[in-house]
Amino acid sequence: MDSQEFRDCAKTVIDMLADYYDNIRDRQVVPSVEPGYLIKTAPEDAPEEPEKWENVLKDFNQTVMPGVTHWHSPQFHGYFPHGSSYGNIIGSLLCDGLAVMGFTWRASPACTELEVVTMNWLGKLLGLPQEFLNCSPGPGGGVIQGSASEATLVGLLAAKEKTFRRLLKKDPSIDKDLIKTKFVAYSSDQCNSSVEKAGALGSMKMRLLPSDSNCQLRGETLKKAFAEDKAKGLIPCYVVANLGTTGTCAFDPLYELGPVCKEENVWLHVDAAYAGAASICPEYRYIIKGIEYVDSFDVNVHKWLLVSFDCSAMWVKDSYDLINAFDIQRIYLDDVKSETRVSEAEVTVPDYRHWQMPLGRRFRALKLWTVLKMHGAQGLRKHIRNHITLAEHFLKLVHADQRFVVEPKPTLGLVCFRLKNGDSYTKQLLENLLATKQIFMVACTYRNRYLIRFVICSRLTTEKDVEHSWRIITNEADLLIGPTHINGTLKEKNTHSIISTKHLEPVNNGCEKSQ
Amino acid sequence: MDSQEFRDCAKTVIDMLADYYDNIRDRQVVPSVEPGYLIKTAPEDAPEEPEKWENVLKDFNQTVMPGVTHWHSPQFHGYFPHGSSYGNIIGSLLCDGLAVMGFTWRASPACTELEVVTMNWLGKLLGLPQEFLNCSPGPGGGVIQGSASEATLVGLLAAKEKTFRRLLKKDPSIDKDLIKTKFVAYSSDQCNSSVEKAGALGSMKMRLLPSDSNCQLRGETLKKAFAEDKAKGLIPCYVVANLGTTGTCAFDPLYELGPVCKEENVWLHVDAAYAGAASICPEYRYIIKGIEYVDSFDVNVHKWLLVSFDCSAMWVKDSYDLINAFDIQRIYLDDVKSETRVSEAEVTVPDYRHWQMPLGRRFRALKLWTVLKMHGAQGLRKHIRNHITLAEHFLKLVHADQRFVVEPKPTLGLVCFRLKNGDSYTKQLLENLLATKQIFMVACTYRNRYLIRFVICSRLTTEKDVEHSWRIITNEADLLIGPTHINGTLKEKNTHSIISTKHLEPVNNGCEKSQ
C-alpha cells in the first residue's frame, strides 16, 4: 500500500465510520452469530499474497461487522459506557499515525510532556487536591495506565513495597519474604473483579469485607477487620475504596475509610473507574469527599469521558512510591532527564516508565488532549449531565409501571430494576430481552436479589432512545407476565418462546419469591 | 463535532499523515526541545469552551510535533523497531472507530474470534508447533497481550500458580504463603529490564545468571543454578529464555535450556520480543530450535511485523494454566460461552479475560488482521529480509573503516560497533551524534565495553538511507578522532565542540583503553 492508496483507503474508512454513527440506530445491538461463527469460516492460513484494500474492507464488512456488538448504539445499556467520540478517533489516529514510544523523555519528549499537561488539566477538572498534580511543588502527579485493573495492581505493588520499607526501617532484621506474606489488602464485597484479581496477581491476601445495606464499605467494618487481622499477626497494607461499584454504583465513604487507613499507615487507593468522572461537575463532587486521605486515585477516562480504551487516569500523592516499586535500570534506557525527575527546578519531567508495570507506552495523551480540546470542559460536563438526566427519565418510566421495582436508589447513569414477580422472572426477562438482540443489558445482585442494570452508555442517546429502550423492555415484560392491567395464568418456567398474554398471572406485589 | 466535521477533520489528518511519511526524510530525527518545553508553555487549564478542529490540528503542529522523536525516520536506529504501516493505521482506525470491548465473547464476538483466527495464522507463519495453536485439539492457544513485559509477568504468575498446585497435590499440608516465597525465577544477565521487573512485580526472586562470551545463557549454567537453589531449600519455578537480547540480539539456546527445565518441572517462557518475528522466514527458523520444550512464547508483533504498539503475541501450550491463575467470576460478566471454553466440540472459543491481567481488552486483532491481509505473508517476509540485508550493508561500511570494530557478530537487523580508541571515545561519539539530532541510536555493553547499537528500524529505509546514516556517523568520527588517513594529536577529553582534525591522533589499533 503506497501513500496514495493509504489516502484513498483511509478516507473510505472515515466515511464508513461516520456513516456507521449516523445510522447506528438501524443496527441490531447484539449480533446474530453463534460461537465459532468466524473461527469456523475464516481461512485457515494468512494470505500468502497481499490483498487489495478494497477487498480487505469488503471482508471486514462481510465477516467482522456481523459479529460486532454495537457498544455505541443508544440501546446498548450494558456494563458501563465505553468512551468514544469523533475527537477521540482523531487523537487515536494521530497516535497510531506517529507510532512513537514514550518510555523515556528522550524517546519522544512530547509523549511524556503532553501526558503531564493533560493529567494536570483533568486532575483540576475533577477537583483533586493540588498535591495530586504534577504542577504542584511536591512529588505527586498523574499518569495514564491501561486500565483500572492495572491501576489497582500498581497501587497494591507500591503499597507492598512502601510498607515493607517502613517495617524494614523499624527493624532491619525482618525476613523480607516472610513479612510480605503477612500483608493484607481489603475492599468491599461489591468491588469489581479486577480488585480481587489484583490481590491474586500481586500475591497479597485480599479480604472482601461485607458492605452495608446500601452496598457501602463502612469505616467501622474496616476498622474491625484491621483489628482482627492484627490480632492474628497479619499486617494491613492496602485498601481499595470503590466510588461507583460495578453492580449498583455504590460509593464507599472515603471520609470514613480515610481516617482508619491513616491511623494504621495503610495505603488507600480509590477505584472510581466509572463514577469518578462525574466529579468534573461541581454538583457531583461530593462523591470524592475525603479525597485528602487518599494515596492513589483512578478514573477510567475511557468510560465516561469520551475517550476510548485504554486510558485510565491515575494520580498519586507521592510518585516515589511508584518509582521505588518499579524502577529497573538499563544502559539502553539512559535518558537525559532520568536523574532529575523530581527536582527543585520549576518544572518536573517524570520518567513514566517507573510509574507503570510495562516498559512500553503509547502516546495515549493525544486522545485525551484532542477530546479535552474539542469538547472543552463545558462539553464534557454537558455529556455527564445529559446521561444522568436520561437515567432520571428512565427511572420515571420504570416507576410508572407497577410491575417493576427500582432498587437500590439509582445513581448517576445507572438504574437497577427487577420484576416484582421474583428473580426467576427477572432473569427470564433479561434472557428474553437479550434474545431480541435489540437491547443489551447485564445483571447484578442486590440484597440477594437478581437485578437488571440499565446504564446510559452511548453519547448519542436521546430521550426518545430511552423511551424506545423502555418499550422493548415492556414489550418483553408483557409477553412474559402480561401487561400490567391484564389477568391470566402465570407460567413459572418460561422460555424465550412467545407466550400469549392471556395465560399470564396478574402481578402480585406481596408474593415475591424468597431467594 | 458533528459527523460532517469529523469527515473533514479526519480526512485532513489522513493527508497530514500521508504527507508526514512522504516527507519524513526532511525532518530532524531528534527534536530540538529541552525538558519542560511543553509543560512550561501549555495552558495551565483545559479549555472551558470547545475548540474548533482546525485550531486543534494547528496547535498539534505547532506544539506537539516539535517535541516528537521520529521513530519511522530512516535515520532512527534506536532500541528495536516500533512497527507501523499504512495497513496498521487502517486496522487501528477501525478498532478505535468501533470502540468495542472484548472481555467476554458476548461483549463483542468478532473481537474474540478474530483474535483466535489471526493468532492461529501468525503462529503458523512463525512455525510454532501445533500444540500452541487454538486450532489444534489440545488446550493451547494464542492471545494478544499489551507488551512483552506483560507476557513475561503473565507467564511468571501462571508458573507460580501451577507450581503451587503441583506441590499442594503432593503435600496438602504445605503453607501456601510460605512455599511461594521459595520459588525462584531465572533469566540471563542480558535479559530486558522488563524480565527483571516481572520478578519484582510478581513477588518472585529473579536470578540473572551469567551469560557466556556470546551473551547466551547456557544449559549448564541453568542446571548449576537449579542445583544451588535446591540445596538451599528453594524451588526453581520459572525461566525466561531470550531470543534476541536487547543489548546485542543474542539467542539463548532453547534446545539446551528446555531439557533442564523439563527435568525439574520448571516453566520455560520465551521472550522473543524483537527477533522472534524472523521465524516467519524459513531460513531464520533455526532461532526457535527447541521450541517443543517451551510452555509460553511471546513475540512483539508491534516491533518487527508492521503493527504498532500494543500488540504482543503470546502462545501457551496449556491455556488452563492461565485460567487457573487469572479467573475471577462476576455475575455481570456472565457469558454464553464461559463454561465451554475448551470443549470436545469442533471449535474452541476462549474467554480471553482469563488469559490476561486486566479485565478490559480492545479489538487489537483488527490491526494484526489488516496488516496480515494487506501485506500478505510474502510482504512481511520481504520486510524482515530487507532489514537484514540493509544491516549487512551497514556492516560492510563499518568493516571498511579501520577506526571501528564491530562486535559481537551482528544478528538480524542489529549491528553493534565501537571506536578502537576506547570506551570514552565511543561514548563521546554517540553523544555527539545525538547532539546533531540527525540520527538516533542507543548504547549497550558487551564484554564490559561500551558499544553503539545500530538497528534498521523504519520500514522506509533504503540502502541510500543507510549510507546517509553512515556518513553522519563518519563525519562525527572525523571531528572527534580525525579521518582515518590524517595524523594529528588525539584529544583525550573531548566535548561536543568541533575539533579541528589537525589536532587528532592517528587511530592506534593496539592501544584500546582498558575499561
Side-chain angles (χ1 to χ4, degrees):
Chain A
M1 180 179 261
D2 64 23
S3 84
Q4 187 52 52
E5 285 171 309
F6 168 67
R7 288 173 211 257
D8 297 340
C9 172
K11 289 175 187 178
T12 305
V13 173
I14 295 300
D15 282 324
M16 267 171 57
L17 292 175
D19 292 345
Y20 174 73
Y21 284 104
D22 283 348
N23 304 305
I24 200 161
R25 286 180 181 79
D26 301 341
R27 288 183 186 265
Q28 189 177 293
V29 184
V30 180
S32 290
V33 295
E34 291 300 312
Y37 93 98
L38 188 61
I39 298 173
K40 278 182 196 166
T41 55
E44 286 182 16
D45 293 284
E48 190 57 28
E49 313 260 353
E51 289 180 17
K52 281 193 178 162
W53 67 261
E54 293 90 339
N55 291 343
V56 176
L57 294 189
K58 202 174 143 197
D59 204 4
F60 171 80
N61 282 317
Q62 287 178 351
T63 67
V64 178
M65 278 304 269
V68 169
T69 302
H70 302 290
W71 278 62
H72 305 286
S73 159
Q75 267 69 53
F76 184 93
H77 304 290
Y79 316 112
F80 278 128
H82 178 193
S84 175
S85 59
Y86 291 131
N88 171 71
I89 299 176
I90 300 298
S92 297
L93 188 51
L94 291 169
C95 168
D96 286 306
L98 294 179
V100 300
M101 291 283 261
F103 39 61
T104 57
W105 179 86
R106 168 176 265 168
S108 212
C111 187
T112 294
E113 300 215 9
L114 198 67
E115 190 159 327
V116 171
V117 170
T118 51
M119 288 297 287
N120 283 335
W121 285 3
L122 187 59
K124 286 182 193 176
L125 286 183
L126 291 165
L128 297 184
Q130 275 289 321
E131 55 192 323
F132 285 100
L133 305 181
N134 177 286
C135 50
S136 73
V143 59
I144 300 177
Q145 306 283 358
S147 60
S149 312
E150 210 173 316
T152 305
L153 182 53
V154 163
L156 182 142
L157 295 169
K160 193 194 238 186
E161 185 64 24
K162 187 177 192 172
T163 306
F164 167 66
R165 288 182 183 221
R166 180 168 50 82
L167 297 176
L168 187 71
K169 212 173 160 185
K170 255 183 23 196
D171 175 8
S173 71
I174 53 170
D175 181 313
K176 181 180 170 172
D177 297 321
L178 201 65
I179 196 82
K180 287 183 178 175
T181 66
K182 297 187 187 303
F183 293 178
V184 187
Y186 307 82
S187 194
S188 99
D189 54 13
Q190 299 298 311
C191 73
N192 186 269
S193 61
S194 62
V195 176
E196 191 177 342
K197 199 164 174 176
L201 301 179
S203 297
M204 198 184 291
K205 283 178 231 341
M206 172 70 75
R207 283 188 65 185
L208 301 188
L209 304 176
S211 52
D212 71 3
S213 60
N214 294 317
C215 298
Q216 299 178 299
L217 173 61
R218 306 302 300 269
E220 278 307 311
T221 310
L222 185 65
K223 197 169 184 168
K224 207 178 123 212
F226 282 3
E228 284 165 6
D229 286 337
K230 284 168 66 187
K232 286 185 205 158
L234 299 173
I235 302 162
C237 174
Y238 186 57
V239 170
V240 181
N242 308 280
L243 291 190
T245 58
T246 309
T248 64
C249 201
F251 294 88
D252 296 334
L254 303 183
Y255 48 89
E256 281 186 18
L257 303 178
V260 179
C261 290
K262 199 92 183 166
E263 207 179 301
E264 297 288 343
N265 250 321
V266 169
W267 183 297
L268 180 56
H269 174 75
V270 177
D271 178 7
Y274 163 67
S279 185
I280 66 169
C281 304
E283 69 272 29
Y284 298 113
R285 192 154 299 155
Y286 66 86
I287 62 179
I288 64 166
K289 187 183 161 192
I291 183 75
E292 64 276 12
Y293 295 107
V294 166
D295 295 283
S296 52
F297 181 84
D298 186 74
V299 175
N300 277 345
V301 177
H302 62 243
K303 279 202 164 67
W304 212 7
L305 289 171
L306 301 176
V307 176
S308 69
F309 190 83
D310 52 340
C311 187
S312 192
M314 181 187 198
W315 288 267
V316 289
K317 256 193 202 150
D318 188 347
S319 58
Y320 282 117
D321 293 333
L322 302 184
I323 296 166
N324 288 338
F326 299 136
D327 182 1
I328 305 279
Q329 291 294 342
R330 282 295 188 282
I331 185 173
Y332 48 78
L333 293 173
D334 268 2
D335 194 8
V336 282
K337 282 300 297 170
S338 58
E339 70 290 356
T340 56
R341 203 208 62 75
V342 175
S343 70
E344 298 306 306
E346 190 191 343
V347 166
T348 293
V349 180
D351 275 331
Y352 276 135
R353 74 182 187 279
H354 304 316
W355 294 45
Q356 64 175 19
M357 295 196 294
L359 173 60
R361 54 195 342 266
R362 287 189 301 147
F363 201 163
R364 292 180 289 208
L366 266 176
K367 57 186 180 182
L368 177 54
W369 185 74
T370 50
V371 166
L372 285 169
K373 282 171 85 80
M374 290 187 180
H375 290 267
Q378 283 181 2
L380 292 175
R381 285 190 207 107
K382 195 174 148 190
H383 171 65
I384 298 276
R385 286 170 182 150
N386 183 44
H387 271 199
I388 296 172
T389 305
L390 290 169
E392 284 163 357
H393 185 61
F394 180 78
L395 176 65
K396 269 185 226 154
L397 298 171
V398 189
H399 270 159
D401 191 320
Q402 55 175 281
R403 296 172 297 179
F404 293 92
V405 177
V406 171
E407 66 176 3
K409 192 168 169 288
T411 319
L412 305 176
L414 169 68
V415 179
C416 298
F417 64 95
R418 60 179 174 85
L419 282 169
K420 287 181 180 164
N421 301 53
D423 280 7
S424 60
Y425 285 86
T426 309
K427 199 168 180 176
Q428 188 64 53
L429 177 62
L430 179 59
E431 271 175 36
N432 295 358
L433 284 165
L434 290 175
T436 68
K437 320 272 191 198
Q438 299 304 321
I439 191 166
F440 189 89
M441 295 178 292
V442 296
C444 72
T445 52
Y446 172 69
R447 297 186 187 175
N448 287 323
R449 282 198 176 281
Y450 188 95
L451 301 175
I452 300 174
R453 297 169 72 261
F454 179 95
V455 190
I456 306 289
C457 287
S458 170
R459 73 180 163 83
L460 305 168
T461 312
T462 63
E463 230 177 68
K464 271 194 174 170
D465 292 315
V466 170
E467 285 159 11
H468 180 54
S469 290
W470 179 239
R471 264 197 305 280
I472 297 172
I473 295 167
T474 51
N475 280 346
E476 285 302 317
D478 290 351
L479 292 173
L480 182 64
I481 56 165
T484 186
H485 58 283
I486 291 179
N487 289 338
T489 311
L490 180 67
K491 278 209 167 178
E492 251 301 311
K493 287 274 175 186
N494 214 326
T495 66
H496 183 55
S497 58
I498 291 171
I499 304 153
S500 166
T501 51
K502 64 183 174 185
H503 300 301
L504 298 178
E505 278 277 348
V507 173
N508 184 342
N509 275 343
C511 69
E512 291 176 16
K513 284 163 58 178
S514 70
Q515 307 309 317
Chain B
M1 181 179 259
D2 64 24
S3 83
Q4 187 53 51
E5 285 171 308
F6 167 67
R7 289 173 210 258
D8 297 341
C9 173
K11 289 174 187 177
T12 306
V13 172
I14 295 300
D15 281 324
M16 268 171 57
L17 292 175
D19 292 344
Y20 173 74
Y21 284 104
D22 283 347
N23 304 305
I24 200 161
R25 286 179 181 78
D26 301 341
R27 289 183 185 266
Q28 188 176 293
V29 184
V30 180
S32 290
V33 296
E34 292 298 314
Y37 93 98
L38 189 60
I39 298 174
K40 278 182 197 167
T41 55
E44 286 182 18
D45 294 283
E48 190 57 28
E49 312 260 350
E51 288 180 19
K52 280 192 178 164
W53 66 262
E54 293 90 340
N55 290 344
V56 177
L57 295 189
K58 202 173 143 198
D59 204 5
F60 171 79
N61 282 316
Q62 288 179 350
T63 68
V64 179
M65 278 305 269
V68 170
T69 302
H70 302 290
W71 278 61
H72 307 285
S73 158
Q75 266 69 52
F76 184 92
H77 304 289
Y79 316 113
F80 278 129
H82 178 193
S84 175
S85 58
Y86 291 133
N88 172 71
I89 299 176
I90 299 298
S92 296
L93 188 50
L94 290 169
C95 169
D96 286 306
L98 295 180
V100 300
M101 292 284 259
F103 39 61
T104 57
W105 179 87
R106 168 176 265 168
S108 212
C111 187
T112 294
E113 300 215 9
L114 198 68
E115 190 159 328
V116 171
V117 169
T118 51
M119 288 298 287
N120 283 335
W121 285 2
L122 186 59
K124 287 182 192 175
L125 286 183
L126 290 164
L128 297 185
Q130 274 290 323
E131 53 191 324
F132 285 99
L133 305 182
N134 177 284
C135 50
S136 74
V143 59
I144 300 177
Q145 305 282 359
S147 60
S149 313
E150 208 173 314
T152 306
L153 182 53
V154 162
L156 182 141
L157 294 169
K160 193 194 240 186
E161 185 65 24
K162 187 177 191 171
T163 307
F164 167 66
R165 288 183 184 220
R166 179 168 51 80
L167 297 175
L168 187 71
K169 211 172 161 185
K170 254 182 26 192
D171 175 7
S173 71
I174 52 171
D175 180 314
K176 180 180 172 173
D177 297 320
L178 202 64
I179 197 82
K180 287 183 178 175
T181 66
K182 297 186 186 304
F183 293 176
V184 187
Y186 307 81
S187 194
S188 99
D189 54 13
Q190 299 298 311
C191 73
N192 186 270
S193 61
S194 62
V195 176
E196 192 177 341
K197 200 165 176 176
L201 300 180
S203 297
M204 198 184 291
K205 284 181 230 343
M206 171 71 73
R207 284 188 65 186
L208 301 188
L209 305 175
S211 52
D212 70 5
S213 60
N214 294 317
C215 299
Q216 299 178 298
L217 173 61
R218 306 301 300 268
E220 278 306 311
T221 310
L222 185 65
K223 196 170 185 167
K224 209 179 122 210
F226 281 3
E228 284 165 7
D229 286 338
K230 284 168 66 187
K232 287 185 206 160
L234 299 173
I235 303 163
C237 174
Y238 186 57
V239 169
V240 181
N242 308 280
L243 291 190
T245 58
T246 309
T248 64
C249 201
F251 294 88
D252 296 333
L254 303 183
Y255 48 89
E256 281 186 18
L257 304 178
V260 179
C261 290
K262 199 93 182 162
E263 206 180 302
E264 296 288 344
N265 250 320
V266 170
W267 183 296
L268 178 56
H269 174 76
V270 177
D271 178 8
Y274 163 68
S279 185
I280 66 168
C281 304
E283 69 272 30
Y284 298 112
R285 191 153 301 155
Y286 66 86
I287 61 177
I288 63 166
K289 186 183 162 193
I291 183 75
E292 63 277 12
Y293 294 107
V294 165
D295 295 283
S296 52
F297 181 84
D298 186 74
V299 175
N300 276 345
V301 177
H302 61 245
K303 279 202 164 66
W304 212 6
L305 289 172
L306 301 177
V307 176
S308 69
F309 189 85
D310 52 341
C311 187
S312 193
M314 181 187 199
W315 289 268
V316 290
K317 256 192 200 149
D318 188 347
S319 58
Y320 282 116
D321 293 333
L322 302 184
I323 296 166
N324 287 339
F326 299 136
D327 181 1
I328 305 279
Q329 291 293 342
R330 281 295 188 281
I331 185 172
Y332 47 77
L333 294 173
D334 269 2
D335 194 8
V336 283
K337 281 300 297 170
S338 59
E339 69 290 357
T340 56
R341 202 207 62 74
V342 175
S343 70
E344 300 305 308
E346 190 189 342
V347 167
T348 294
V349 180
D351 275 330
Y352 276 136
R353 74 183 188 279
H354 304 317
W355 295 45
Q356 64 175 21
M357 296 196 294
L359 173 59
R361 54 195 343 264
R362 288 189 301 146
F363 201 163
R364 293 181 289 208
L366 266 175
K367 57 186 179 181
L368 177 54
W369 184 74
T370 50
V371 167
L372 286 169
K373 282 172 84 83
M374 290 187 182
H375 289 267
Q378 283 182 3
L380 292 175
R381 286 191 206 105
K382 194 173 150 192
H383 170 66
I384 298 276
R385 286 169 181 149
N386 183 43
H387 272 200
I388 296 172
T389 305
L390 291 169
E392 285 163 357
H393 185 61
F394 181 78
L395 176 65
K396 269 184 225 153
L397 298 172
V398 190
H399 271 158
D401 190 320
Q402 55 175 281
R403 296 172 297 180
F404 293 92
V405 177
V406 171
E407 67 176 2
K409 191 169 170 289
T411 320
L412 306 177
L414 169 69
V415 179
C416 297
F417 64 96
R418 60 180 175 83
L419 283 169
K420 287 181 181 165
N421 303 53
D423 280 6
S424 60
Y425 285 86
T426 309
K427 201 168 178 174
Q428 188 64 53
L429 176 63
L430 179 59
E431 271 175 37
N432 295 358
L433 283 165
L434 291 175
T436 68
K437 319 274 190 196
Q438 301 302 321
I439 191 166
F440 189 88
M441 296 179 292
V442 295
C444 71
T445 52
Y446 172 69
R447 297 186 186 177
N448 287 324
R449 281 195 177 283
Y450 188 95
L451 301 176
I452 300 175
R453 297 168 73 261
F454 179 95
V455 190
I456 305 290
C457 286
S458 170
R459 73 181 163 83
L460 305 168
T461 313
T462 64
E463 228 177 69
K464 271 195 175 169
D465 292 314
V466 170
E467 286 160 9
H468 180 54
S469 291
W470 180 240
R471 264 196 307 279
I472 297 171
I473 295 167
T474 51
N475 280 346
E476 285 302 316
D478 290 352
L479 292 173
L480 182 64
I481 57 165
T484 187
H485 59 283
I486 291 179
N487 289 338
T489 312
L490 181 68
K491 279 209 167 178
E492 250 301 311
K493 286 275 175 187
N494 214 323
T495 67
H496 182 55
S497 58
I498 291 172
I499 305 150
S500 165
T501 52
K502 64 185 173 185
H503 300 300
L504 297 179
E505 281 276 351
V507 173
N508 183 340
N509 276 343
C511 71
E512 293 175 16
K513 285 164 54 180
S514 71
Q515 309 308 321

